[in-house]
Amino acid sequence: DVRVEHAMSTSQTTCNTPSASGGDRRRDKGVLRVATLNARWLFLTSLTPTDPPAWPTLDVAREHATAVAETVSALDADVLVLQEVEDCATLDTLLELVGDDTYEAYLVKGTDTATRQQVALLTRVTPA
C-alpha cells in the first residue's frame, strides 16, 4: 500500500489520493489518448547554482514551466506520464499553468538522490 497525500511542500513524498469512486473526465469517452513527455528538468524550487539544472533565475525556470504547460495542452492526452518533474509543488504549478481542471495529478517520490527527478501522472481517468 502506498500512503498518498496532496502535497504542498517538497518534503512530502506523494501527491493526491485517488477517489474511491473513480472518475472519467475524458471529453470523448470512446477514445483514450495516452502520451508521455520528458519535461526536461521541470524544477521550480531547487534553483541553487549547485543543483541541476541550475536555472539562473526563477523567471527562467517559470518560462520553461510555461513552455511545458503549452506542450501538455497541445498534446491533449487523457493520460500523460511526465518525466523529470521535481516535486508535488512543481506539479501543482504546472497544473495551474495548464489551466485544465479535468486533470488530476499524481506523483510518488522516487529514490533518485542524484538528480531528484520524479515521474508524474496527469490523468482525466482517476486510477482505481
Side-chain angles (χ1 to χ4, degrees):
D1 255 342
V2 175
R3 186 175 72 90
V4 283
E5 303 170 26
H6 183 66
M8 296 307 286
S9 75
T10 58
S11 63
Q12 291 178 312
T13 59
T14 55
C15 303
N16 219 338
T17 303
S19 64
S21 62
D24 188 342
R25 295 164 306 284
R26 290 178 289 164
R27 291 178 180 92
D28 181 349
K29 303 287 195 272
V31 176
L32 178 65
R33 294 175 47 100
V34 179
T36 183
L37 174 66
N38 185 325
R40 298 186 181 251
W41 293 102
L42 186 58
F43 277 49
L44 293 172
T45 60
S46 296
L47 299 175
T48 63
T50 58
D51 286 336
W55 297 114
T57 67
L58 182 56
D59 287 340
V60 172
R62 190 149 174 97
E63 286 174 17
H64 175 67
T66 299
V68 172
E70 290 169 359
T71 301
V72 168
S73 294
L75 286 171
D76 195 30
D78 299 312
V79 178
L80 177 62
V81 177
L82 293 160
Q83 296 86 31
E84 299 189 22
V85 177
E86 180 181 20
D87 56 22
C88 297
T90 299
L91 191 57
D92 287 344
T93 299
L94 178 65
L95 270 181
E96 290 173 20
L97 292 170
V98 170
D100 183 339
D101 63 359
T102 63
Y103 280 122
E104 289 181 353
Y106 298 89
L107 179 148
V108 176
K109 190 172 182 180
T111 58
D112 179 355
T113 57
T115 66
R116 298 178 329 279
Q117 295 174 332
Q118 314 303 324
V119 176
L121 175 70
L122 296 182
T123 182
R124 293 180 174 131
V125 181
T126 302

